[in-house]
Amino acid sequence: MKNKALTYLLIVCVAAIWGVIFYRIYAGLNDEELPLPKTSAVKTAYFNEINHLNDTVTLNLSYPDPFFANPSDAYQGKRIPENMPKTPSLIKAIPIQKPAINWAAIQYTGYINNPANKQKLAMLNIQGKEALLAEGQSSNGLKLVKHLGDSVRVQFQGETKYIRIK
């Protein structure tokens, strides 16, 4: 008897929980969007709000230059000395090294031969992206220069290399 009463109580609890779940789903699907409150779309321009022509404030610009240690070092209408160079001295340029090309990211996987126009399309895998190229075509910065059957000659970032079929 005790187990029967507990079973019925649990059935009622489960039914109530499922009822709440279905009610929330139903209420969420039937919610109509609330109308947005109407706001005025007319904005006044900034320059029409403030009239700067009638300002009575004058700026006091007679303070020392904060970038010079001595106020006498500041440029105060003085002429540039004649011995001072007119252009900045040239600094020796450090040669910029090009990043090394990762040729392993470029793979020649095969070719397709079109007997109608006798054109060969090379199948290349360029950094995980497949490309079908005929001679002279480019994809992702890689240009197919020459198709040799078992290898291709490609140009990438100004460098040329032969890549064998994988």
Side-chain angles (χ1 to χ4, degrees):
M1 186 81 174
K2 203 175 200 186
N3 289 337
K4 265 189 177 178
L6 184 61
T7 304
Y8 290 133
L9 179 65
L10 290 175
I11 289 173
V12 170
C13 289
V14 169
I17 291 172
W18 279 106
V20 169
I21 291 172
F22 285 127
Y23 173 75
R24 287 195 175 194
I25 292 173
Y26 179 75
L29 292 176
N30 287 338
D31 271 349
E32 293 182 12
E33 290 188 26
L34 299 174
L36 296 174
K38 292 183 181 181
T39 59
S40 64
V42 178
K43 278 193 132 184
T44 57
Y46 172 76
F47 293 108
N48 291 339
E49 292 177 2
I50 300 171
N51 185 1
H52 293 286
L53 294 175
N54 298 328
D55 281 347
T56 57
V57 177
T58 57
L59 297 177
N60 181 9
L61 301 177
S62 62
Y63 53 87
D65 192 342
F67 297 105
F68 289 101
N70 296 329
S72 62
D73 292 343
Y75 177 76
Q76 297 175 0
K78 297 178 185 175
R79 300 186 77 217
I80 298 174
E82 295 296 327
N83 60 356
M84 191 168 227
K86 302 233 187 294
T87 59
S89 62
L90 297 175
I91 300 171
K92 291 184 180 179
I94 300 171
I96 299 172
Q97 295 180 352
K98 292 182 182 177
I101 297 173
N102 184 9
W103 289 103
I106 303 168
Q107 296 178 347
Y108 173 43
T109 56
Y111 65 93
I112 299 171
N113 192 10
N114 187 351
N117 59 5
K118 297 183 180 180
Q119 184 181 26
K120 292 182 181 178
L121 294 175
M123 292 186 295
L124 296 166
N125 187 339
I126 308 164
Q127 297 174 348
K129 297 177 184 173
E130 290 290 328
L132 287 172
L133 299 175
E135 287 185 11
Q137 289 182 333
S138 297
S139 175
N140 296 330
L142 180 86
K143 181 178 180 182
L144 180 65
V145 178
K146 183 76 175 160
H147 187 272
L148 302 170
D150 67 335
S151 65
V152 289
R153 182 176 172 200
V154 294
Q155 183 179 13
F156 188 65
Q157 294 181 352
E159 293 187 29
T160 305
K161 186 171 182 174
Y162 287 92
I163 300 176
R164 295 184 68 55
I165 194 166
K166 295 276 181 180

